[in-house]
Amino acid sequence: MKNFMKKITLVALAFIVFSCSTDEELKSLKPVSIAEIAKATPELSLFVQALTITGLADTFFQSGDYTVFAPDNAAFTSLLTSLGYTQLSQVPVPLLTDVLKYHVLSSRVLSSSLTDGQTAATLQGQNITINIDTVANVTTVSITDANTTTSDSEIGARDIKCTNGIIHRINKVLLPN
C-alpha cells in the first residue's frame, strides 16, 4: 500500500510540475495577428488573397483593434460566380477594397456582445445589422448587409482572438450598396 501511495504521489507531482506554465513561458508565446491567423486557415485563403490584391493585408499584421467578419472560400467562390468572374484578380480593386472594408469594425466585438437588431458601422462607412435567432436551444447569429438582394451571412467560427482583434468566419460575402 505504501508503494502504491508513493506512485500516486509521484504521478500527481509530475502532473503538477509539467502542466503549470510560468509567466516566462506565457510571455514567450508569439503574438498572432488577424493576418497570420487568416493565412494559417485554409478556409480563408481567398480572403487572404483578396487582402493581398487590395493592399490591405499589411493593416491586419499591424497592431490595432478590429473585428473582422472573414468570408470563407465558398463565400468568395459564390460571389465570383454571381459577378461573372472566375478569379479574384478580375474584380476591380476599388470594388474589392470597398467590399473588404465592409467586413471590418474598428473595435473588438465578441459574439457575446452582439444583440439582435444591433447595427454596426464598418470601415467602409455603411452599416451591417446583426440578427440573433434561437430555435430549439440552438442560437444562430447572422448579418444582414446593405444590399437587400443578398441573403444573410451566418457567423460560423466565432471569437477567434488575435493580438490586433477578433475574427468571426462567415459563409457569405457582405455587400455594401
Side-chain angles (χ1 to χ4, degrees), residues 28-95:
S28 70
L29 293 175
K30 182 180 182 264
V32 183
S33 68
I34 291 169
E36 290 169 305
I37 292 288
K39 282 180 79 172
T41 307
E43 296 86 7
L44 297 178
S45 64
L46 290 176
F47 175 71
V48 172
Q49 184 181 353
L51 289 175
T52 302
I53 289 169
T54 60
L56 293 172
D58 288 342
T59 301
F60 298 109
F61 273 110
Q62 299 169 8
S63 65
D65 282 321
Y66 302 103
T67 297
V68 177
F69 297 99
D72 60 22
N73 290 346
F76 272 107
T77 301
S78 178
L79 175 68
L80 289 172
T81 301
S82 69
L83 295 175
Y85 298 120
T86 57
Q87 49 193 335
L88 281 172
S89 60
Q90 296 172 315
V91 179
V93 173
L95 172 62

Side-chain angles (χ1 to χ4, degrees), residues 1 53 85 88 114 121 143 166:
M1 183 73 169
I53 289 169
Y85 298 120
L88 281 172
L114 299 173
I143 302 169
I166 306 288

Side-chain angles (χ1 to χ4, degrees), residues 134-151:
T134 303
V135 177
N137 293 327
V138 176
T139 300
T140 302
V141 181
S142 62
I143 302 169
T144 302
D145 60 19
N147 184 345
T148 57
T149 61
T150 59
S151 60

Side-chain angles (χ1 to χ4, degrees), residues 1-134:
M1 183 73 169
K2 258 186 178 177
N3 283 338
F4 179 72
M5 290 304 290
K6 282 182 182 178
K7 288 179 184 177
I8 288 184
T9 303
L10 284 174
V11 168
L13 184 60
F15 178 77
I16 290 169
V17 168
F18 291 111
S19 66
C20 294
S21 301
T22 65
D23 287 339
E24 302 295 318
E25 290 170 333
L26 291 175
K27 288 179 187 175
S28 70
L29 293 175
K30 182 180 182 264
V32 183
S33 68
I34 291 169
E36 290 169 305
I37 292 288
K39 282 180 79 172
T41 307
E43 296 86 7
L44 297 178
S45 64
L46 290 176
F47 175 71
V48 172
Q49 184 181 353
L51 289 175
T52 302
I53 289 169
T54 60
L56 293 172
D58 288 342
T59 301
F60 298 109
F61 273 110
Q62 299 169 8
S63 65
D65 282 321
Y66 302 103
T67 297
V68 177
F69 297 99
D72 60 22
N73 290 346
F76 272 107
T77 301
S78 178
L79 175 68
L80 289 172
T81 301
S82 69
L83 295 175
Y85 298 120
T86 57
Q87 49 193 335
L88 281 172
S89 60
Q90 296 172 315
V91 179
V93 173
L95 172 62
L96 192 55
T97 301
D98 274 352
V99 168
L100 289 176
K101 286 182 176 181
Y102 192 59
H103 289 78
V104 182
L105 307 180
S106 62
S107 62
R108 295 173 192 247
V109 180
L110 293 171
S111 62
S112 59
S113 298
L114 299 173
T115 59
D116 188 39
Q118 174 184 2
T119 59
T122 67
L123 287 185
Q124 184 269 349
Q126 294 181 34
N127 290 342
I128 56 173
T129 302
I130 305 301
N131 309 298
I132 300 175
D133 296 311
T134 303

